[in-house]
Amino acid sequence: MTADPAAQMLDLLTGGWVAQTLRATAELNIADHLADGPATAEQVAERERSDPRTTYRLMRAASSLGVLGYEGERRFALTRPGELLRTGVPGSMRSLVLVQNEHAHWQSWERLPDAVRAGGSKAREVLGVDLFGYFAQPENAEEAALFSRAMGDLSGLVTQGAVATVDTTGVTTVLDAGGADGDFVLGLMAANPRLEGLVLDLPHVVPGARKEAERRGLAGRFTAVAGDFFVEVPPADLYLLKMILHDWNDERCLTILRNCRAAVTEGGRLLVVEMVIGELGTPDFATRVDMNMLNVTDGMERDLDEYDALFAASGWRRAKTYPVGGGYSVLELVTTP
């Protein structure tokens, strides 16, 4: 039986309400309050110092979304998706829920029709600077820290699958370009004691990468280098570009890819980790992410044909493609003459 099209449209157009309901659930620490077991809205409200009646209404809405389960007698419990809203647990997505509904992202989404008409993001008009410039401003430090945690949590979901899948046999040196704290390369190093790892990132990021390497006991095989992958990259046998290319337009992506091609050792490879847009007309989360990129960056999500065109124009060829979790894939590249 075909669903009522009006009901379908109502479900779609209230997606923003769903996002803000998740945000409120995260901000009021509902999942943390239920971590030890089911509780009533009144008990949660007492712990959170919120209004009992409206807390109940929020938890009722969260239960209709599948984030909470209803146990009867006004008691709610966490579901498996709800567990992801807890603070500081493996796989937590709490920071991601919060930052996607904070000022920088939420206000930029209001300008989506203008971005489509103009051919690019209107974030600069909304925020006064681009997204990363906004996060660099001292008055936005709290939101910037939230964004950093969110990206770290998301990266962790992907890195675990990538480390378990990537073959580093015969590789000596791995460079994580724009690698932040080096989670990806450090994971590969832990799995292969013969690897030497590097992170190339902006100067303010380098100390954090060194600290993380020390924390994992890998500092003896690790180097963090301050630099700009738009200018040049150090030589390596294997390059990692995890969630990098989608931040940039085609011209900037070509610069990064060509710099890696110019520096790679003979027989070396490059791993691109990104979402890939699939078959048109089918449900595809990557297309939603692409709208977010249009809103807040100069980048985009791409399909395989679009990626292959970039690779061919920069001296690379896609040899393998495999999923690594979280909707992300590894595009494994080899050099072309």
Side-chain angles (χ1 to χ4, degrees):
M1 182 176 179
T2 303
D4 178 0
Q8 287 182 311
M9 183 57 69
L10 285 170
D11 190 49
L12 291 171
L13 71 87
T14 55
W17 301 357
V18 172
Q20 291 293 353
T21 298
L22 290 176
R23 175 194 181 187
T25 303
E27 284 205 8
L28 271 72
N29 305 297
I30 303 295
D32 291 334
H33 292 312
L34 297 177
D36 294 331
T40 66
E42 289 74 18
Q43 290 169 324
V44 169
E46 183 178 2
R47 297 168 191 168
E48 185 61 26
R49 297 183 180 180
S50 57
D51 180 82
R53 186 173 184 182
T54 48
T55 300
Y56 172 77
R57 291 167 64 186
L58 173 64
M59 294 175 70
R60 180 176 61 186
S63 70
S64 77
L65 298 174
V67 175
L68 303 181
Y70 185 60
E71 302 284 300
E73 299 182 351
R74 298 177 69 86
R75 290 164 58 83
F76 296 86
L78 284 179
T79 61
R80 291 183 66 184
E83 290 279 351
L84 301 181
L85 291 181
R86 290 179 58 191
T87 304
V89 297
S92 174
M93 300 179 73
R94 181 177 184 273
S95 295
L96 187 63
V97 167
L98 291 173
V99 80
Q100 287 296 327
N101 292 287
E102 282 287 351
H103 176 79
H105 286 79
W106 195 252
Q107 297 301 311
S108 296
W109 267 96
E110 186 181 5
R111 299 294 300 275
L112 176 59
D114 297 330
V116 174
R117 288 190 179 98
S121 170
K122 291 293 182 178
R124 288 179 181 84
E125 293 183 13
V126 174
L127 305 175
V129 291
D130 65 20
L131 181 67
F132 298 109
Y134 171 86
F135 286 141
Q137 294 173 339
E139 62 269 27
N140 301 319
E142 185 174 344
E143 190 174 348
L146 186 63
F147 178 79
S148 180
R149 289 195 299 271
M151 294 303 99
D153 290 343
L154 182 60
S155 176
L157 295 175
V158 176
T159 298
Q160 185 177 6
V163 168
T165 309
V166 171
D167 182 7
T168 58
T169 303
V171 176
T172 300
T173 305
V174 183
L175 187 142
D176 198 346
D181 66 357
D183 185 51
F184 193 0
V185 66
L186 291 170
L188 293 176
M189 291 168 63
N192 182 346
R194 296 183 179 181
L195 286 183
E196 294 187 1
L198 299 90
V199 159
L200 174 73
D201 216 312
L202 298 175
H204 71 275
V205 176
V206 166
R210 290 173 180 157
K211 184 177 180 179
E212 183 63 17
E214 292 173 0
R215 188 186 71 81
R216 300 193 192 193
L218 297 170
R221 293 187 281 132
F222 178 80
T223 305
V225 180
D228 183 347
F229 50 43
F230 290 116
V231 178
E232 63 178 351
V233 298
D237 305 320
L238 180 65
Y239 289 98
L240 311 176
L241 291 175
K242 179 170 59 66
M243 304 178 192
I244 297 295
L245 296 184
H246 79 151
D247 282 334
W248 307 101
N249 61 29
D250 287 352
E251 182 180 355
R252 300 286 267 173
C253 286
L254 286 172
T255 299
I256 298 169
L257 291 165
R258 285 167 178 161
N259 285 342
C260 292
R261 178 64 180 88
V264 68
T265 58
E266 185 176 356
R269 294 174 292 155
L270 188 157
L271 304 183
V272 171
V273 182
E274 295 285 1
M275 285 190 173
V276 178
I277 293 176
E279 183 180 353
L280 291 180
T282 62
D284 189 348
F285 181 69
T287 61
R288 301 186 212 176
V289 180
D290 185 43
M291 290 296 94
N292 187 55
M293 302 310 291
L294 172 58
N295 273 306
V296 300
T297 74
D298 291 326
M300 61 184 291
E301 305 301 328
R302 297 172 171 89
D303 60 28
L304 283 178
D305 288 342
E306 290 169 321
Y307 274 118
D308 285 343
L310 289 177
F311 303 151
S314 56
W316 297 98
R317 174 178 62 84
R318 179 168 54 91
K320 298 179 183 178
T321 304
Y322 40 91
V324 290
Y328 286 82
S329 295
V330 169
L331 312 181
E332 185 171 322
L333 312 185
V334 296
T335 59
T336 58

